[in-house]
Amino acid sequence: LFIYIYSYQEVTFMHTGWTRVQRNEFVDYNLEKTPLQIKTDSLLGSGDVSRVYFYDSQSHYSGAFEIRFDSTPQYYIRGCKSHTDFPTNLPSPTDKIWKIALLKSSETINEQVGNESSAVRLVVDCNGVEVLNFVFYPSTCPANNWVSPYLGRHVTKIWFYSRDTASDYYMSQPGKQVLR
């Protein structure tokens, strides 16, 4: 006799390409080729946090991004931008799919503000709505310790922070569409 017990939710997500977030583990993921998608169901005002670190192939730190679910939601770009309100309102549903893209190319960005130019941009969508389009400039990252990690290293691994209380699932098969 063989008895197989499973969670319906697990099977549903497994078949659509979603993987439950495991904290404090490296995950091979080329963020520069494929945007990272993260599912959350945190309420605004809960204080929950979604934080993902970026690493290169030798596990050297290459940056981090955080979403804080305060009454006014905020983002944080480690080594560059302290906790800051999103520049636009987030979509209202509690269940959210975040898409985080790290773009590195002088050809695709090639923006200049005054004497500053940049080849790094972080774009974040929430439920299909762009909520952040951040270009790394010395004036937007005054600490200037972002240059080496964000510009000098290729992100090929991610790591969900141990105190991440918001990230439930991430897309484990980049490019695969979620069936609804």
Side-chain angles (χ1 to χ4, degrees), residues 147-173:
V147 174
S148 177
Y150 289 96
L151 194 56
R153 298 188 181 125
H154 294 287
V155 177
T156 59
K157 297 179 184 181
I158 58 171
W159 173 286
F160 289 94
Y161 184 51
S162 61
R163 295 185 184 150
D164 179 330
T165 54
S167 302
D168 299 318
Y169 297 89
Y170 70 96
M171 180 63 76
S172 60
Q173 298 173 2

Side-chain angles (χ1 to χ4, degrees), residues 1-5:
L1 177 66
F2 178 72
I3 299 174
Y4 183 70
I5 301 173

Side-chain angles (χ1 to χ4, degrees), residues 14-91:
M14 184 176 64
H15 288 296
T16 59
W18 292 95
T19 299
R20 184 180 297 281
V21 165
Q22 298 295 316
R23 287 149 182 86
N24 293 335
E25 292 182 9
F26 283 112
V27 176
D28 290 331
Y29 200 101
N30 191 329
L31 185 61
E32 294 172 37
K33 291 192 183 223
T34 306
L36 174 63
Q37 293 184 61
I38 301 172
K39 281 187 177 225
T40 63
D41 61 2
S42 296
L43 296 171
L44 292 182
S46 67
D48 285 349
V49 171
S50 172
R51 185 187 294 177
V52 62
Y53 288 94
F54 312 137
Y55 292 89
D56 68 10
S57 60
Q58 278 74 50
S59 303
H60 296 124
Y61 172 78
S62 300
F65 181 73
E66 175 181 302
I67 301 161
R68 183 181 277 176
F69 292 86
D70 290 337
S71 56
T72 300
Q74 296 184 320
Y75 70 95
Y76 166 68
I77 301 172
R78 189 162 187 223
C80 173
K81 192 84 169 161
S82 61
H83 289 96
T84 304
D85 295 350
F86 278 95
T88 185
N89 291 330
L90 300 182

Side-chain angles (χ1 to χ4, degrees), residues 125-155:
D125 290 0
C126 179
N127 291 354
V129 175
E130 185 175 288
V131 295
L132 181 65
N133 191 328
F134 186 87
V135 180
F136 290 77
Y137 291 117
S139 62
T140 59
C141 298
N144 214 20
N145 56 350
W146 63 274
V147 174
S148 177
Y150 289 96
L151 194 56
R153 298 188 181 125
H154 294 287
V155 177

Side-chain angles (χ1 to χ4, degrees), residues 95-139:
D95 294 333
K96 292 179 174 34
I97 296 177
W98 300 87
K99 184 170 84 172
I100 302 166
L102 185 63
L103 308 173
K104 292 184 180 182
S105 170
S106 57
E107 294 173 13
T108 59
I109 298 170
N110 198 17
E111 289 195 11
Q112 189 154 349
V113 173
N115 295 334
E116 300 177 314
S117 62
S118 180
V120 182
R121 177 189 306 264
L122 184 73
V123 179
V124 180
D125 290 0
C126 179
N127 291 354
V129 175
E130 185 175 288
V131 295
L132 181 65
N133 191 328
F134 186 87
V135 180
F136 290 77
Y137 291 117
S139 62

